Amino acid sequence: MISDEIQEFTPQWLDSKPYVEAFTSGSTGIPKRIELPKSDMRASAEATCRRFGIDHRSILHLCLSLRYIAGKMMMVRSFVSGARIISEEPSNHPLNDVSIPSIQNLLKEEKRISLSAIVPSQIEGLLQTPALQFIDTVIVGGAPMTPQQEQMLQYHNANAYATYGMTETCSHVALRAIGTDRYTAMPGITFDTDSRNCLVINAPHYTFGRLVTNDIVTLTGEDSFIWHGRYDNVINSGGVKIHPEEIERALASIMGNSEYFVTSRPSERWGEEMILVTTPTGLSAEEIMAACRLLLPPIKCPKQVVIRPTLPHTSTGKLLRRLDN
């Protein structure tokens, strides 16, 4: 129950310990317990409140579990700003249960929600709620959105942003407006890159100070970048480096609502060769291959399409890029 989580978290935030316990997202397997400095959480919350003009007159919407950083940070934003928070149990249909008194009052009084934080699986449900018209800003994190999900947000004219960050940075350090490709830094954050062209986060007012990531980017300024994909996902096929995430975006128009990812397998000829793994799309593997050849250059075309009933996920719902036998 989210109310139980709030009652558990509040004394943790107010106690004398300089940190709060949290769990990483589990992108590489089992979520890991870490200790987050409260000073970093406060700095992150204050930056978000400045960015979106959140103060004691604002209303925040919590529909995420406080077990993970995104839920915790909504509470911290409320604490540092004095904003009111309305909460509900996490589900794929946030703000749709009008039997919840706070949501009833919201609709009746036509009060505005300054900020709602959701994960991609909640997008479709949120767009169905009558309360959507009263939300000023939606931030989406936890996992990459599909192109279809971004298109839905644009179609409904939602003022929405994709977040870039991780548990270790206490939520996001950059935001990307839906429909654009550039992430812009939060106040006080700057960026550079390492020898791999991976993003380096400079945050002098955080305890970590400088954090090297595994995300390959193109800098567009010291406070902005375009994200290409994860360094550990790069496929080297015959000397050509391929970013699976870019291929996945290029294939969005033919993959419908299926879940899919691009990965590789060993190849005697190329070292590695790319394959596409997907849930059923309504097309055969041969038809998907034919469509790929129309959209992609030969070197970036999958060598095989593998169709599986379901795909593996982490405990937090992120898609695992692996081909189980």
Side-chain angles (χ1 to χ4, degrees):
M1 299 288 288
I2 201 167
S3 57
D4 294 337
E5 291 181 347
I6 291 174
Q7 291 178 14
E8 181 182 347
F9 176 71
T10 301
Q12 290 178 15
W13 178 252
L14 297 175
D15 68 25
S16 60
K17 292 180 181 178
Y19 64 85
V20 167
E21 292 183 4
F23 290 87
T24 61
S25 63
S27 298
T28 58
I30 300 172
K32 180 178 65 175
R33 177 189 169 278
I34 60 174
E35 295 177 352
L36 294 176
K38 289 179 181 176
S39 59
D40 286 358
M41 298 175 74
R42 188 176 292 108
S44 173
E46 290 172 347
T48 298
C49 290
R50 288 199 303 274
R51 174 66 176 79
F52 293 116
I54 295 167
D55 59 24
H56 67 279
R57 297 163 295 184
S58 304
I59 298 175
L60 305 179
H61 172 229
L62 172 63
C63 60
L64 300 170
S65 171
L66 270 73
R67 185 182 179 195
Y68 296 101
I69 187 62
K72 285 179 168 62
M73 287 308 302
M74 286 302 287
M75 289 299 302
V76 179
R77 290 166 195 145
S78 173
F79 293 148
V80 303
S81 67
R84 172 187 165 197
I85 194 160
I86 59 173
S87 64
E88 60 177 314
E89 295 303 313
S91 76
N92 282 336
H93 294 87
L95 289 172
N96 277 267
D97 187 354
V98 295
S99 67
I100 299 174
S102 59
I103 297 176
Q104 281 184 335
N105 293 336
L106 177 78
L107 295 172
K108 182 179 179 181
E109 301 173 20
E110 296 190 356
K111 292 183 177 178
R112 302 200 64 79
I113 291 175
S114 298
L115 182 67
S116 179
I118 63 172
V119 294
S121 63
Q122 294 174 308
I123 290 173
E124 187 172 359
L126 181 67
L127 295 178
Q128 296 171 355
T129 175
L132 180 64
Q133 61 183 311
F134 301 120
I135 302 176
D136 290 333
T137 304
V138 178
I139 54 176
V140 187
M145 282 178 276
T146 66
Q148 292 86 351
Q149 288 170 331
E150 293 209 26
Q151 288 167 7
M152 283 192 289
L153 289 166
Q154 286 183 276
Y155 178 79
H156 285 82
N157 295 316
N159 183 35
Y161 295 83
T163 64
Y164 177 86
M166 55 210 73
T167 304
E168 293 85 346
T169 61
C170 299
S171 188
H172 52 270
V173 294
L175 297 169
R176 175 176 62 82
I178 298 303
T180 68
D181 62 359
R182 187 175 68 170
Y183 285 89
T184 302
M186 297 298 291
I189 302 288
T190 61
F191 304 117
D192 58 68
T193 56
D194 66 6
S195 60
R196 305 167 300 161
N197 290 321
C198 286
L199 185 71
V200 178
I201 302 167
N202 300 306
H205 54 301
Y206 285 70
T207 58
F208 61 81
R210 179 178 171 87
L211 184 63
V212 180
T213 75
N214 280 325
D215 290 299
I216 299 176
V217 303
T218 295
L219 292 181
T220 55
E222 69 170 10
D223 64 348
S224 60
F225 63 87
I226 296 172
W227 181 81
H228 298 295
R230 295 280 296 175
Y231 181 81
D232 35 346
N233 290 340
V234 170
I235 299 169
N236 190 332
S237 185
V240 176
K241 292 184 178 179
I242 301 170
H243 297 290
E245 296 90 346
E246 292 183 343
I247 302 299
E248 290 160 5
R249 291 193 288 271
L251 296 179
S253 61
I254 65 172
M255 300 306 292
N257 293 321
S258 64
E259 281 195 308
Y260 63 97
F261 63 89
V262 167
T263 187
S264 65
R265 65 185 178 191
S267 167
E268 290 186 6
R269 182 177 182 184
W270 305 108
E272 290 182 291
E273 60 184 17
M274 184 172 59
I275 60 174
L276 172 64
V277 184
T278 180
T279 56
T281 66
L283 301 174
S284 68
E286 292 75 17
E287 289 170 325
I288 296 173
M289 280 293 296
C292 289
R293 294 187 187 103
L294 293 175
L295 289 172
L296 300 167
I299 191 61
K300 293 187 177 182
C301 198
K303 297 296 187 288
Q304 183 183 1
V305 174
V306 178
I307 301 177
R308 292 289 168 83
T310 60
L311 299 182
H313 293 77
T314 69
S315 60
T316 56
K318 288 187 177 181
L319 190 63
L320 282 174
R321 293 171 174 274
R322 69 178 189 222
L323 182 59
D324 292 330
N325 294 326

